[in-house]
Amino acid sequence: MAFSTVAYTGLAGLALYVVSHWWNNRIPRGLKRPPGPPGRLLIGNLLDLPKSKEWVTFDRWAKEYGDLCYLNMPGASILFVNSHELAKELFDKRGNIYSNRYQSTVLNDLIKLDWSMILTQYGERWRRTRTYFHQFFNQTVIENYYDIQIKYTKMLLKRLHQSPEDYRTHVRYIFGASILEVSYGIQPMSETDPFIVLSDTTIQRATEAGIPGTYLLGEQVIEMLNKPVEVAKNNMRNGDARPSVVSGLIETFENDSNRPDDYEDFIKHVPGVAYITAVDTSAGVLLHFFHMMLLHPEVQKQAQEELDEVVGPGALPSFKDLGKLKYIKAIFQELLRYNAVVPIAVPHVLNVNDVVNGYFIPKGTIVFGNSWTLLRSKSFYGLDADKFNPARFLDERTPYPDFAFGYGRRACPGKHFSENSILIAIANVLHLFHILPFEGENEPELPAEDHFDSGTILSPDATKTLGELDH
Ligand code: HEM
């Protein structure tokens, strides 16, 4: 093909694209765009998007522009939802049009994550995957995982005792191992287990999307999806399988005369998405916990007094105790709120043109629930919302920090499972250890946003030494 043909095709494509974007974005008479930073000619707000600590800029825009903030750029319009009321109105009440996902060629085609429910378009396939997922992670059945969660919590305690300086590795290991056992019945005995390594490296590299070698990563993702299922099926054939999501799904389909033709896909995709979503998020919260206990010894002391009273010496906190451990629960909720590990959530996409409070929002707009800002709202959490203060949740009128788990129909379906894993870990760690600075280190006194790395999932900055555990 001659160069000129390529050039003509490219130019024609570009012209078509600009016209269609302009067409989709033109504002109907009587309506206006939501406010937002002024754009530049042709490129709109393209240069305004922050490259790091995105939530800080998004929070500043929320303060400057109010409940809705809008960016327009070639190929995309972005809406930030900055008020609790509008988040409920759009994501819950208008959930049928605000629940799609942005289709990223890099993530879908190159990295081969198109199967994963978190990226799937809102529609039949997503609905079916979510229904099967719910079968194994709904509020009633998660009690079945108590034993696994206790087992890995005990492993955490043992490892923290042996090498407190490696607490980051221990935390990732226990969440990785427990989701592998729940999903596939596999029991990884250490952080060097091939399945732990495979998931860790895959997830880490997927978050660095766009780097050279992404094709290779695609193969790695497929391996991560297939390999543990093969092991689970083999164990079932040999009669030594533990109950798991895989074995449960196989049973469901065996007993279903109307099972779908593509049922084998769900046997891979349902545990697969649990495996890629559970670890970074849960580990992020627990790592923040260690950090916040260092910064707030008074909180640690109050929690330990509660544990002494409810659990007492010589025993470890159990799931039965959790109902009475009000302050431990309050710490957990404050971690979700103040240390939001997914601070800008996962954006939704609007399916059709919409009008909100007289503002025109075009079809295809990428819509962010601005979780960081919403979770620090002074009208919902009090004038000290910028401070870490678990006691606010002892007042039952304080709203649960649900936005930490996202919005509407796409809100996190692993919420109840992760609550249990993290709560039981927090209670046990605080019952056995004092979390102290490493010898020779002062307690870190850092401004709030410096506690975090940049990225979609936040965990405290790895370069700062955080603490020693004193038995
Ligand atoms: C504290 C821990 C966790 C936090 C803070 C968290 C947060 C989130 C957030 C913000 C979203 C995006 C929701 C949206 O689009 O509006 C999400 C989605 C999701 N999470 Fe979690 N998550 C956590 C743990 C887990 C666990 C343990 C699992 C699995 C067992 C899980 C499975 C999922 C799945 C499958 C989705 C995709 C839902 C969809 O697109 O329909 N999450 N999570």
Side-chain angles (χ1 to χ4, degrees), residues 101 117-118 126 130 277-278 281 346 348 404 406-407 410 412-413:
R101 288 282 195 228
M117 189 212 315
I118 196 157
W126 168 81
R130 196 152 164 132
T277 46
T281 46
V346 180
H348 295 205
Y407 301 89
R410 304 282 318 213
C412 178

Side-chain angles (χ1 to χ4, degrees), residues 101 117-119 126 130 133 137 179 273-274 277-278 281-282 285 336 341-342 345-348 403-407 409-415 417-418 422:
R101 288 282 195 228
M117 189 212 315
I118 196 157
L119 297 176
W126 168 81
R130 196 152 164 132
F133 189 97
F137 291 98
I179 199 68
V273 75
T277 46
T281 46
S282 311
V285 178
L336 287 178
V341 287
V342 199
V346 180
H348 295 205
F403 293 136
F405 289 105
Y407 301 89
R409 298 180 190 192
R410 304 282 318 213
C412 178
K415 174 183 157 190
F417 176 80
S418 63
I422 299 167

Side-chain angles (χ1 to χ4, degrees), residues 359-377:
Y359 294 119
F360 175 68
I361 321 289
K363 167 183 173 178
T365 296
I366 299 168
V367 187
F368 283 88
N370 195 352
S371 305
W372 176 270
T373 299
L374 296 176
L375 290 166
R376 288 179 179 226
S377 153

